[in-house]
Amino acid sequence: MNWGRGILVAMILFVGVIATMVYVSVNTEFSLVADNYYEQELAYDDQIARIRNFEALTAQPEFSFNRAEQQIKLQFSEELVSAIKEGKVVFFRASGAKHDKVFELNFDDDNVFTTDVSKFLIGAWSLQLSFTDGAKEYYKEIKFVI
């Protein structure tokens, strides 16, 4: 092999590597953690107050994940359920916003919020629980792995 062919092969390999890098970078999906992250950051003091309100509850909801049945349960006390005006549960997936799930906070007769996670992607998730009693807002984040 002479110098001319070696240089030509090196240039072809270099162009191939650059073209592959461009293709991968163009097709890589990325999303922000939140679309309105700037507004959320400005209101972070309010978020800290919500977290403190939750921590001050005497009867906090109990989180349980049944892997066999692929169900997540949040057990609430009777007094807390009667005080809650509205709430939501967000299942947040950091790897992509298209996988996030949002549910209204609805209880069964035993004061339990239950949801099936069998169709969720396997991996790390964050359950973001937020609710209000009309006077105060509450927030709790629970990390778990499916």
Side-chain angles (χ1 to χ4, degrees), residues 47-60:
Q47 183 72 352
I48 291 172
R50 289 183 198 104
I51 293 169
R52 286 185 180 147
N53 289 341
F54 185 89
E55 296 299 326
L57 288 173
T58 55
Q60 295 181 356

Side-chain angles (χ1 to χ4, degrees), residues 21 33 85 87 100 103:
M21 288 173 46
V33 172
K85 302 291 185 215
D100 293 353
F103 298 97

Side-chain angles (χ1 to χ4, degrees), residues 78-121:
E78 179 84 30
E79 62 190 42
L80 188 56
V81 169
S82 63
I84 293 175
K85 302 291 185 215
E86 66 176 307
K88 70 178 179 177
V89 178
V90 177
F91 289 92
F92 175 76
R93 176 100 173 161
S95 64
K98 66 182 179 183
H99 302 295
D100 293 353
K101 313 279 188 220
V102 180
F103 298 97
E104 291 297 318
L105 189 56
N106 296 320
F107 305 103
D108 62 12
D109 294 336
D110 296 326
N111 301 324
V112 177
F113 169 83
T114 306
T115 189
D116 180 36
V117 294
S118 61
K119 301 220 185 317
F120 287 22
L121 288 178

